[in-house]
Amino acid sequence: MQILQTFFIYVPMDKLRVAIQKSGRLSEKSLDLLKESGIHLNNGSRKLKSLAQVFPLEVIYLRDDDIPQYVEDGVAHIGIVGENEYAEKNCDVELIERLGFSRCRLSLAIPKSEPYNGLQDLEGKRIATSYPVILQHYLDEHGIRAEVHVLSGSVEIAPSIGIAEAIFDIVSSGSTLISNGLKEVETVMHSEAVVIAHRNLEPGLKGLLADLLFRIRSVQAASTNRYILLNAPNERLEEIIEVIPGMKSPTVMPLAEKGWSSVHSVLSEKEFWAVIDRLRELGAQGILVIPIEKMII
Ligand code: ATP
Ligand code: MG
């Protein structure tokens, strides 16, 4: 009998290099997302880079302004940045996933006391911004000629110190605008954190990226869905099942009490209250809603 021998040849594995913001509004949530995806880093103390345990991945910490270019050059294979930074740098990278955190918008604002009748009011004016590329594109699109004045920070004080008549900047709650005596007049783009990737990843790295995205999507799905359990009178079971169809179909089990069933399903957070109200109308009782840790779709 022939004995088959298998030889294991050690091939050093590729590591997926991920660029995240070193310190700022994206840093903590980017690290949390990796952690929830089962990527535990060897040093959490924000060095220049850290290596993941178990998963072949390395994190490099950068200013968010530099991430798109590093990803285009292939120094980092993927990066997490604000969509605003991705649009401003206009690098040749692929936007592969929206992450739903660090939501904000880029808006035009002018002093509160100034009248505003439309974009034509900005014709010939000076607009201060850290996002000249997005702004110029928007002005060109609308046929407005204005002077774009580039500032790297503290844009909101530009009108009060007399260097611009308007600003174009990030807005989230709007409180910074209000405290600087400004009002938002046009919203130009909405932004959230996104994953960008180098265009020509080699197959090994593409495989690692697919694994990572699969984990990220499971975490995202889990955070936007809830597990729901309830007791349903059998005569309304069909209607109740229609309201909570779940991933495939709900689990239905008879209760010890005759005429009643226990129904288990999954519910999207978005439709949560509307669905709960409808279930109560249909006679559902003992409704329990439980968070889901991971959701493998
Ligand atoms: P860096 O030092 O890395 O250049 P930064 O000062 O340019 O940092 P941050 O203020 O940390 O940038 O913001 C990073 C990103 O977070 C922004 O590009 C934007 O996408 C998003 N962001 C900014 N401000 C807010 C906000 N108030 N709420 C939610 N998201 C925001
Ligand atoms: Mg920056």
Side-chain angles (χ1 to χ4, degrees), residues 21 63-66 85 89 131 152:
Q21 192 190 22
R63 283 201 61 191
D64 68 346
D65 310 53
D66 298 331
E85 213 51 61
K89 294 301 183 291
Y131 297 93
S152 57

Side-chain angles (χ1 to χ4, degrees), residues 96-139:
I96 52 170
E97 189 78 7
R98 292 175 191 280
L99 296 172
F101 61 81
S102 296
R103 285 184 190 277
C104 57
R105 55 193 188 274
L106 281 177
S107 295
L108 282 159
I110 61 169
K112 205 169 55 206
S113 51
E114 292 293 322
Y116 185 75
N117 301 302
L119 213 48
Q120 68 278 5
D121 289 3
L122 296 178
E123 182 75 32
K125 299 278 166 63
R126 294 168 301 171
I127 309 174
T129 188
S130 311
Y131 297 93
V133 172
I134 300 171
L135 175 59
Q136 194 61 59
H137 183 258
Y138 180 77
L139 293 173

Side-chain angles (χ1 to χ4, degrees), residues 21-26 62-65 82-85 102-104 131 170-172 191:
Q21 192 190 22
K22 186 172 169 59
S23 157
R25 289 179 194 267
L26 292 163
L62 299 170
R63 283 201 61 191
D64 68 346
D65 310 53
E83 213 173 334
N84 52 317
E85 213 51 61
S102 296
R103 285 184 190 277
C104 57
Y131 297 93
I170 289 180
V171 181
S172 66
S191 175

